[in-house]
Amino acid sequence: MTAAAGKGLEGVVASQTSLSFIDGLKGILVYRGYNIHELAPNVSFPESVFLLWNGRLPRRSELDEFEVTLAAQRTLDPRTVEGLKGLPAETVPMSALRTGISLEGVYDPDAEDNSAEANRRKAERLVARTPTIIAAIHRIRQGLEPLDPDPSLSLSADFVRMANGEPGTDEAVDALDRTLLLYLDHGFNASTFACRVIAATLGDMHSAVTGGVGALKGELHGGANARAMHTLLEIGDPENVGPWLDRAFAEKRKIMGFGHRVYKTEDPRATHLREMSRVLTQQAGLGKFYEMSRKLEDRMISEKGINPNVDFYCATVYYALGIPIDLYTPLFAIGRMGGWTAHVMEQHADNRLIRPRAEYVGEMDLRWVPMDER
Ligand code: ACO
């Protein structure tokens, strides 16, 4: 029996994908051949989803048609809404989202059909409806009735309207849309790999992405954006960063929003989010949070050699946009839904069961002992 791969499968190349590429040493992220720095300033979230699903950028008419198709799919099954209303009041949004996605899978007309055509239809519904589910969760917990989608609005604009009850500014909607694009796909990250494992059993699309939501929820993965914001609020003031970090280092605490399994240099997504954070926090009169972030970053790099990841500056972007902290990770899921669904389609198109082995390190050769002699 060969020895196990490194703990946490570090460095293991588990399979192939043509969706996204990461060079962790050079800090490069590529979606379907396009460097993220090409896409981030120029491409909308739906456009990036089209790219990921089709392997090429859309022409204008194709993008228009794609957006109309998605917009027509935003309305939830009413039984999903009823299910969300029935959840205990203390249910955290990521758990409610996991349940909402799972319920949509129960009611989906293509539920048990894994054909390429059905998978594409389900992927469209999932990307279109994830924002609707999150907005509904947010309304329901405030004792409000969920709002119906408005297909004349873009996906991001409609999310803001459905969540807040009023439209967002163009700038806020654009910023949100850009974060979704930056969250879209990232190789075999934990949640995507979870999706692929489920898909590889020939499990259906909704089962796979429900598993993805569960994996994303953890604070070592998507949950880090909310945790990073709580850290900044706990620090409270730029002057406190030094003493706070001294304590955190002494206690060997992990600083949320820093570090990455693959990137050993600047996360290219953080480059965009840092600048967005600078501009948006300043506009919102919350510049001290950007200042605190920079101080944290400087010391983490100079003393630990650890860079911020995608979640660190996204936290202050969302804070400046006035988004409740427990919706940060659900928003990550809206972006990553485009990636998860693409990976399920890629897996199903050329499938083999994913089934690694375990290196057994337990006892052997024990003999059964009758109950009254143990
Ligand atoms: N704060 C302080 N120290 C850290 C951090 C951090 N955020 N991240 C890594 N380190 C240190 C570890 O303590 C460890 O030090 P040691 O060798 O002295 O014990 C060393 O760096 C290696 O850390 P690991 O946890 O083994 O690295 P791994 O590759 O397993 O973990 C991970 C990567 C989980 C992202 C880690 O950096 C972490 O926990 N970060 C905080 C959570 C976070 O931000 N997650 C979001 C990641 S991005 C995403 O999923 C979208």
Side-chain angles (χ1 to χ4, degrees):
M1 173 90 191
T2 49
K7 202 170 174 193
L9 298 184
E10 178 163 6
V12 170
V13 177
S15 187
Q16 297 183 322
T17 181
S18 58
L19 298 171
S20 60
F21 165 78
I22 305 164
D23 184 329
L25 296 179
K26 294 190 183 142
I28 294 171
L29 171 60
V30 169
Y31 294 164
R32 290 284 200 176
Y34 293 90
N35 191 301
I36 195 71
H37 299 316
E38 286 283 312
L39 299 174
N42 298 313
V43 162
S44 70
F45 172 61
E47 200 174 344
S48 70
V49 175
F50 184 102
L51 168 66
L52 205 63
W53 289 359
N54 296 287
R56 61 180 178 80
L57 287 167
R59 289 186 291 275
R60 165 54 54 201
S61 60
E62 290 174 320
L63 180 59
D64 290 346
E65 194 184 323
F66 185 58
E67 290 192 293
V68 167
T69 303
L70 290 183
Q73 297 293 343
R74 275 184 210 146
T75 305
L76 303 179
D77 190 292
R79 292 164 291 184
T80 298
V81 180
E82 286 314 304
L84 294 173
K85 285 180 180 171
L87 294 175
E90 63 275 16
T91 310
V92 298
M94 277 303 276
S95 295
L97 174 63
R98 190 188 60 219
T99 303
I101 300 275
S102 185
L103 283 170
E104 279 292 306
V106 171
Y107 305 126
D108 196 285
D110 294 310
E112 303 306 326
D113 187 347
N114 284 347
S115 66
E117 298 73 23
N119 271 352
R120 178 60 80 102
R121 288 192 294 271
K122 288 190 276 192
E124 287 168 358
R125 288 194 275 274
L126 280 160
V127 166
R129 291 181 197 189
T130 303
T132 319
I133 295 175
I134 297 166
I137 291 165
H138 186 50
R139 299 278 296 179
I140 290 167
R141 68 177 172 174
Q142 296 172 88
L144 301 168
E145 196 55 32
L147 296 175
D148 289 331
D150 176 351
S152 72
L153 296 177
S154 74
L155 180 143
S156 293
D158 206 19
F159 168 74
V160 173
R161 185 195 60 83
M162 286 189 287
N164 295 342
E166 53 188 42
T169 63
D170 288 348
E171 197 175 20
V173 168
D174 283 351
L176 172 66
D177 201 76
R178 188 159 310 162
T179 65
L180 301 182
L181 171 143
L182 292 169
Y183 274 139
L184 176 68
D185 196 40
H186 211 231
F188 281 5
N189 61 89
S191 57
T192 298
F193 192 60
C195 291
R196 287 196 78 128
V197 169
I198 296 168
T201 67
L202 296 183
D204 65 278
M205 171 84 72
H206 285 82
S207 297
V209 301
T210 301
V213 175
L216 189 73
K217 183 182 175 209
E219 65 187 42
L220 294 187
H221 190 13
N225 58 9
R227 287 292 306 276
M229 196 61 231
H230 286 299
T231 296
L232 293 170
L233 289 168
E234 186 187 320
I235 295 172
D237 189 89
E239 281 192 357
N240 299 337
V241 169
W244 188 92
L245 258 185
D246 290 340
R247 261 197 321 279
F249 287 163
E251 291 166 5
K252 298 200 181 308
R253 280 167 63 180
K254 280 224 166 146
I255 317 301
M256 293 295 145
F258 284 88
H260 200 274
R261 175 60 65 76
V262 182
Y263 292 118
K264 299 305 165 202
T265 182
E266 167 103 341
D267 179 333
R269 302 165 298 179
T271 313
H272 296 274
L273 291 160
R274 184 190 294 106
E275 178 58 12
M276 290 165 70
S277 166
R278 186 185 69 77
V279 172
L280 292 165
T281 53
Q282 201 169 25
Q283 285 171 358
L286 296 167
K288 73 169 186 176
F289 288 98
Y290 178 75
E291 210 185 313
M292 270 188 263
S293 304
R294 289 309 304 254
K295 284 189 159 190
L296 265 178
E297 176 180 10
D298 287 347
R299 272 197 69 187
M300 284 297 285
I301 293 175
S302 63
E303 290 179 39
K304 298 279 176 190
I306 299 177
N307 293 82
N309 57 50
V310 65
D311 286 325
F312 186 62
Y313 282 103
C314 198
T316 38
V317 166
Y318 286 161
Y319 195 68
L321 295 177
I323 295 166
I325 296 173
D326 60 3
L327 295 189
Y328 294 6
T329 312
L331 288 183
F332 187 156
I334 298 179
R336 193 54 59 87
M337 188 59 77
W340 291 332
T341 48
H343 279 270
V344 173
M345 291 188 277
E346 190 179 57
Q347 186 66 41
H348 279 174
D350 183 20
N351 190 58
R352 190 158 189 230
L353 181 74
I354 297 172
R355 203 297 187 196
R357 295 192 57 191
E359 181 186 7
Y360 178 68
V361 292
E363 292 184 280
M364 295 287 266
D365 300 327
L366 301 181
R367 302 300 302 265
W368 174 80
V369 179
M371 189 76 79
D372 55 6
E373 291 173 26
R374 288 175 205 167

